[in-house]
Amino acid sequence: MITKKVIDALYKKYRKRPAGIELLDVGLLFEYASEHHDIVIDEEGNLVINSIDSASPFHKLALNRIHGITQFDEVVVIVLHSSIVFLNKKDSGINVHIKFDEPSIWEKIRWKVTGK
């Protein structure tokens, strides 16, 4: 089960992009998720997940923007800077976590003072 603690650990572990896309474990995607998600890499260097609607920003991901790829028992995980895509291994189920940054202390003070 993917908990908030696991999600926070993923963002921390994959804080920065790897030095090159060859360091990403793209093989995990093709080994565990391509059957249900019709995953391809296009000629422009994008990871295309055809089980996601083409209107979604997560349908096509630039490989050089991916911070990490890993797996758990039931999902393959694609970690980006501010989001994580969970691809189910057993069906075409997809979940996305979007990270929202906490407001800075200055933003909080401005909101209190100006009401905006």
Side-chain angles (χ1 to χ4, degrees):
M1 182 172 163
I2 306 296
T3 63
K4 181 174 177 3
K5 192 173 188 178
V6 171
I7 289 171
D8 290 342
L10 286 169
Y11 281 122
K12 186 174 183 177
K13 180 177 180 179
Y14 297 106
R15 183 173 298 152
K16 295 182 181 180
R17 290 186 300 225
I21 60 172
E22 63 277 355
L23 298 175
L24 291 172
D25 198 354
V26 177
L28 285 175
L29 293 169
F30 291 101
E31 185 174 345
Y32 294 110
S34 66
E35 177 184 352
H36 298 292
H37 298 283
D38 189 21
I39 296 172
V40 295
I41 296 176
D42 68 12
E43 59 278 346
E44 297 164 358
N46 295 310
L47 177 71
V48 180
I49 307 168
N50 288 306
S51 62
I52 298 177
D53 187 273
S54 61
S56 169
F58 298 102
H59 172 71
K60 187 185 289 189
L61 305 171
L63 283 173
N64 62 1
R65 301 308 242 162
I66 296 175
H67 287 223
I69 300 171
T70 190
Q71 70 165 329
F72 291 98
D73 290 338
E74 297 183 10
V75 294
V76 177
V77 180
I78 303 169
V79 183
L80 304 163
H81 176 265
S82 298
S83 56
I84 301 174
V85 179
F86 298 93
L87 302 174
N88 196 313
K89 290 180 180 179
K90 298 176 181 166
D91 59 33
S92 61
I94 298 164
N95 290 301
V96 176
H97 178 271
I98 298 176
K99 179 172 82 172
F100 294 100
D101 292 328
E102 292 289 324
S104 70
I105 188 70
W106 297 112
E107 289 173 321
K108 290 178 183 178
I109 290 171
R110 186 182 66 198
W111 293 342
K112 292 283 186 186
V113 172
T114 64
K116 297 180 185 177

